[in-house]
Amino acid sequence: MRHKIEPRSRRLGPPAVLLAAALAVTGLTLGRTPASAADAGSAFATRCGIHFCLDGKEYYFAGTNTYDMFNYGPGSGTTDAEYMDKARIDAHFANLAADKVDVVRLWMFSHDDWHGFEKTKGVYNEREFAEFDYIIASAKAHGLKLVPVFENYWEAYGGIDSRLQWEGLSGGQPGRAAFFDKTRCAGCFTSYKNYVSYALNRTNTYTGVKYKDDPTVFAWDLMNEPRYENQSAAENVDGTTLRAWVDEMGAFVKGIDSKHLLGAGLEGHGTAYGFGGDEGNPFVHVQQSPYLDYTSAHPYPTEAWANLSIDQTKALVRKWISDSHDVVGKPFFMGEFNVHNVDRSAWWTALYADFEAAGGDGSAFWWYEDHNVDGKFGVLAGAPELSVFRAHSDRMRAKSGLVVPTTSPTATASPTVTASPTATASPTVTASPTATVSPTATASPTATASPTATPTSTGTCSVHYGLSDWGTSFNGDVTVKNTGSTAVNGWQLVFSFPSGQSVSQMWNARYAQSGRQVTATNPADYNTTIAAGSSVNFGFSGASVAGTNGVPQSFTLNGTTCTTY
């Protein structure tokens, strides 16, 4: 969403009324004593084929967005009390938890003077990052997971326009497309990577855990609604330049952080979907990047440029889910959505039910506010539509916790979306699909170390190998299921490529390759055990000779031959 709601008026002074309201709710007190990474809590979210997993079991979630949590507090001074409002942060998370929110997507970007993370190029605001430290700690204490977004395509909080200006270039539409073109703005690539590296490697001052090691983070989004728009008719449809950017930045993120899921933050626009126009960010091609773990889209069906009925919206979302599962081969996250000037509860009831029936993996409405600031899409605690949301959350939780199935479920058929007018100026949403560029991963050392625990033999096991082949490059997605009656303590999976394929990067596992044979070993400090009836998932990218790729013929887990599915 374009999110142009109130970026200036909020700065007129401390919101005394909001502070009083927040203080009325019992706050959470978090000290600054560092904790070890072992105290980080719950497991990391992973991908099991076309679904999310947690602890080796399918995970479905109901979530929301917050737009302004990172600027709770006066935003000045050198102490916590002078800069941030901890009570307000805690009160908001308490309300989110009470309304059964599982995952919160939120901004981790701003180049503004007030509460800016990076006000000037390469200068990171310690006080603002300390506030985000507290946000992560509070989310963990309240049992929620987060999807922080690294940067904004739109102008709110500076976005990529600021990075372009730092390089002497102008932003706005369509000038900001230069951000994604290294020949026009190499410095934009460098400044983005530097910021991401700083954030991922940061140690939280309240928990002592690095961001890249904290399972409170469900996933990262590379950007809020990126697009490479109106540079050429072909680019609008094919999305080649944006795909190349996603590949490069995805490889960079995975080279630092192999533990977390990663998404692009796309909107899902495209004439093929009857929703918005072709804007250089095609849903399928961009999100086929081997470095992305899930797809996303942001439907706003009641916007004038969209003008979709409930049935048309259900068909649109089903098409996204179908393409995500059956074409891209990844989970689908409806990362934003909402309606206005209609009966919101009625719309939400219909859309959530159909989303669940179609096999959608995660949802996040736009947006759960803590005070009345956005009369169009803001949702306050106590709003009637939240009863609909809580019922949705209950159903998603009921679907979760199931052992990963032995066969990959097929997405429900997707009816064709009725055409709607092409969006020219979208004040709220945008995205689309396609792509083919797939650069070699920039980081990830070859792992030859043995697992932390001596691998134990397993009675029975089953392996699913998903292959996305692009000729000279490919992506493998492997789910290993323990079908025995006892846990596997430390695991090694051995398989052989059919020809001269070579692994260039692997995530959620360590690897060694000798000729055609690949040995994938559990990570050193997570996913080391496969409980009975549970599974683990890892993925990798590699190089190949066109026409020679294929699925390995056999797999052995700790020396035991596995079945395949």
Side-chain angles (χ1 to χ4, degrees), residues 71-416:
N71 59 37
Y72 286 3
S76 60
T78 58
T79 67
D80 285 4
E82 292 172 330
Y83 197 91
M84 70 183 82
D85 190 337
K86 294 180 180 178
R88 187 178 169 194
I89 293 169
D90 293 337
H92 199 175
F93 275 122
N95 283 337
L96 290 163
D99 276 319
K100 301 186 178 181
V101 171
D102 299 313
V103 175
V104 178
R105 180 173 177 264
L106 74 173
W107 296 167
M108 195 179 69
F109 58 75
S110 176
H111 306 300
D112 288 355
D113 288 336
W114 190 67
H115 280 283
F117 288 89
E118 184 181 8
K119 301 177 185 180
T120 57
K121 181 180 178 180
V123 179
Y124 308 122
N125 181 0
E126 169 59 27
R127 298 310 314 153
E128 186 56 42
F129 271 99
E131 179 162 5
F132 206 82
D133 293 347
Y134 190 83
I135 287 171
I136 294 174
S138 185
K140 177 179 182 293
H142 287 93
L144 282 81
K145 288 186 178 289
L146 304 175
V147 180
V149 184
F150 291 133
E151 186 54 280
N152 195 16
Y153 176 82
W154 302 108
E155 58 269 30
Y157 300 115
I160 61 175
D161 285 0
S162 293
R163 297 195 184 277
L164 286 161
Q165 289 163 10
W166 294 340
E167 306 303 323
L169 300 172
S170 60
Q173 294 281 70
R176 59 174 63 117
F179 177 86
F180 304 98
D181 185 344
K182 191 178 289 187
T183 65
R184 288 192 278 172
C185 193
C188 293
F189 281 56
T190 301
S191 70
Y192 177 90
K193 286 180 177 179
N194 287 345
Y195 180 79
V196 168
S197 177
Y198 177 84
L200 293 177
N201 287 299
R202 178 178 175 83
T203 299
N204 190 308
T205 55
Y206 292 95
T207 67
V209 180
K210 290 183 181 295
Y211 284 18
K212 65 181 180 181
D213 296 327
D214 196 333
T216 308
V217 174
F218 178 83
W220 307 104
D221 265 359
L222 289 174
M223 186 175 289
N224 177 52
E225 302 181 343
R227 53 169 74 174
Y228 188 75
E229 186 178 19
N230 292 338
Q231 301 305 294
S232 73
E235 277 280 5
N236 280 346
V237 175
D238 299 336
T240 304
T241 296
L242 184 61
R243 168 62 186 273
W245 182 87
V246 166
D247 281 340
E248 180 167 343
M249 298 310 166
F252 181 79
V253 171
K254 290 291 188 179
I256 298 172
D257 178 2
S258 63
K259 296 179 180 180
H260 287 108
L261 301 171
L262 182 66
L266 292 192
E267 303 156 275
H269 287 194
T271 55
Y273 292 93
F275 181 64
D278 296 320
E279 299 150 349
N281 52 0
F283 180 90
V284 169
H285 190 203
V286 171
Q287 296 180 127
Q288 281 177 324
S289 169
Y291 307 104
L292 299 182
D293 298 295
Y294 57 89
T295 69
S296 70
H298 300 170
Y300 289 89
T302 58
E303 292 299 275
W305 53 266
N307 193 29
L308 300 180
S309 67
I310 289 180
D311 286 343
Q312 289 172 329
T313 306
K314 289 192 292 187
L316 169 64
V317 175
R318 279 180 174 263
K319 177 60 175 170
W320 282 327
I321 294 171
S322 175
D323 282 354
S324 180
H325 288 175
D326 299 339
V327 180
V328 182
K330 298 174 184 179
F332 175 71
F333 174 34
M334 190 161 66
E336 295 182 20
F337 85 96
N338 212 339
V339 294
H340 73 107
N341 290 337
V342 294
D343 184 338
R344 184 173 288 169
S345 293
W347 275 71
W348 282 22
T349 297
L351 296 181
Y352 278 139
D354 205 66
F355 180 85
E356 297 157 19
D361 300 283
S363 68
F365 69 83
W366 183 267
W367 62 294
Y368 195 120
E369 55 188 6
D370 83 327
H371 65 294
N372 189 11
V373 61
D374 180 2
K376 185 175 183 180
F377 290 122
V379 178
L380 283 165
E385 59 266 34
L386 286 175
S387 64
V388 178
F389 172 82
R390 290 190 296 272
H392 167 59
S393 179
D394 285 340
R395 294 191 298 270
M396 294 293 271
R397 291 177 180 184
K399 291 177 67 175
S400 298
L402 301 176
V403 174
V404 178
T406 55
T407 58
S408 298
T410 302
T412 307
S414 306
T416 303

